[in-house]
Amino acid sequence: MRLRLRAAVGALLTAATAACSTAATPMAATPTAAAPRPGVTVPPPGVEVRALSVPFDRYNFSTADISVLEAAEELLVRDCMRRRGMAWEVLPRSAMEDLEPPNRRRYGVVEPEIARLFGYHPPPDRPTVARRAAARDSRARRLSAQERRAAHDEEDGCLEQARSHLEQGTPRVDEALFNKLISETFARSRRDPRVVQVFGAWSACMREQGRQYADPLAAVTDRRWMNDGPASPEEISVARADVRCKERTGLVPVWSAAEKRLQDDAVNAHPAEFRALRAAKDGQLAAARAVLARG
């Protein structure tokens, strides 16, 4: 079974969980990414969000890992297409500093500047990520029917061959179990007595600022923010209050510590399954780096 797990991000706060490409879990409604605004520079992820981690990160692919895998796949597809007498335009790579840290929005919006600019809407892609996405869309539009079949056929396509190459020799993994544990440990962390207590402190802080929310989940999933347009002044005001109250109450460290305890317990309860996950991840990344080294 193909392992292509993605790191959990802000969707976790909306009762969603990190998902495999082959076994995604249900996701609650969340604000869509904010559209780029002229003259607005998307801030790079701060030091604090880059430092956020949980034990399951060791077994999951981060956005940086996926960037490595996709860059290797591009070269393998290029070579495969050439053997079939067709060209393949290799996409430009995204700069590592432009990629989202795996846990940037795990506990909702935690960066004051992001809240000020975008409210609860995820910020637009940073420049090199946006450039890659635009190049991918442009290439897709220009592919002929023959080229599309050669590249994307599910059984004999060059992309399928590239992924099989990177997975060769890696162990099978239990993706369903991993997804289940991600979901369960996140849900249980919200019921941890220390987390419940800090949620109460956060809620009281929000009330002081005229905002009525039981916990951060209720704030980020407020139906008023579920739109494709820019964040409203009210959304931005609530998001900024949310961030201030998280900082005042120490909510993120308390919540993260609870999740870490639960995830460590899960790893210890399923040693063989997590060894396989780690081996599969490390094996694919090693194979990808070897492809990139050859060029």
Side-chain angles (χ1 to χ4, degrees):
M1 185 177 291
R2 169 156 290 121
L3 174 68
R4 185 56 57 85
L5 299 160
R6 291 190 178 273
V9 289
L12 269 174
L13 188 60
T14 65
T17 59
C20 303
S21 62
T22 55
T25 52
M27 186 172 294
T30 55
T32 56
R37 302 204 310 267
V40 175
T41 300
V42 180
V47 174
E48 293 82 4
V49 294
R50 289 194 181 278
L52 279 176
S53 66
V54 290
F56 284 2
D57 290 345
R58 296 191 294 271
Y59 309 93
N60 205 349
F61 286 111
S62 68
T63 48
D65 294 333
I66 291 170
S67 178
V68 171
L69 294 172
E70 289 180 345
E73 288 172 0
E74 284 287 312
L75 298 183
L76 292 169
V77 171
R78 177 201 63 190
D79 295 345
C80 173
M81 294 289 279
R82 283 177 178 173
R83 291 193 295 271
R84 298 181 179 192
M86 288 171 268
W88 182 257
E89 177 187 342
V90 173
L91 299 178
R93 292 188 66 176
S94 301
M96 286 295 169
E97 61 268 22
D98 283 352
L99 297 174
E100 287 281 293
N103 300 299
R104 186 176 196 177
R105 295 173 66 86
R106 188 181 199 93
Y107 306 112
V109 179
V110 299
E111 298 162 278
E113 190 65 3
I114 293 296
R116 184 184 72 83
L117 292 170
F118 308 110
Y120 287 110
H121 284 65
D125 289 335
R126 293 271 296 163
T128 59
V129 177
R131 180 190 64 179
R132 179 182 174 85
R136 181 190 61 234
D137 293 345
S138 175
R139 182 180 67 187
R141 289 192 298 269
R142 289 182 280 106
L143 287 177
S144 68
Q146 181 185 15
E147 290 169 335
R148 190 172 295 106
R149 284 194 300 272
H152 297 292
D153 183 82
E154 291 185 2
E155 294 185 2
D156 190 42
C158 289
L159 181 58
E160 181 64 25
Q161 290 187 21
R163 290 176 175 172
S164 295
H165 175 87
L166 297 181
E167 294 163 3
Q168 187 174 2
T170 61
R172 293 174 62 86
V173 299
D174 192 338
E175 298 172 78
L177 173 65
F178 192 36
N179 277 336
K180 178 183 176 184
L181 291 172
I182 291 171
S183 179
E184 287 181 349
T185 53
F186 183 78
R188 289 174 60 197
S189 74
R190 294 176 58 210
R191 300 191 297 270
D192 181 276
R194 281 159 286 197
V195 175
V196 171
Q197 183 177 18
V198 80
F199 280 178
W202 174 92
S203 183
C205 175
M206 292 291 280
R207 283 197 301 274
E208 291 174 6
Q209 301 180 63
R211 312 297 179 183
Q212 297 286 336
Y213 293 105
D215 57 37
L217 175 62
V220 77
T221 57
D222 191 318
R223 289 288 177 184
R224 293 178 293 170
W225 327 141
M226 304 303 159
N227 58 67
D228 295 332
S232 66
E234 175 68 3
E235 177 184 340
I236 288 173
S237 177
V238 173
R240 296 182 75 180
D242 180 353
V243 172
R244 287 193 297 270
C245 288
K246 284 189 176 95
E247 291 175 345
R248 186 186 302 178
T249 60
L251 183 146
V252 171
V254 172
W255 197 351
S256 179
E259 236 193 323
K260 287 177 181 177
R261 289 191 295 271
L262 290 164
Q263 289 193 2
D264 279 336
D265 289 345
V267 172
N268 292 333
H270 302 276
E273 290 82 0
F274 277 92
R275 280 196 300 270
L277 283 164
R278 184 61 184 265
K281 173 184 174 179
D282 291 348
Q284 288 189 46
L285 287 172
R289 293 187 181 106
V291 170
L292 294 174
R294 293 197 302 269

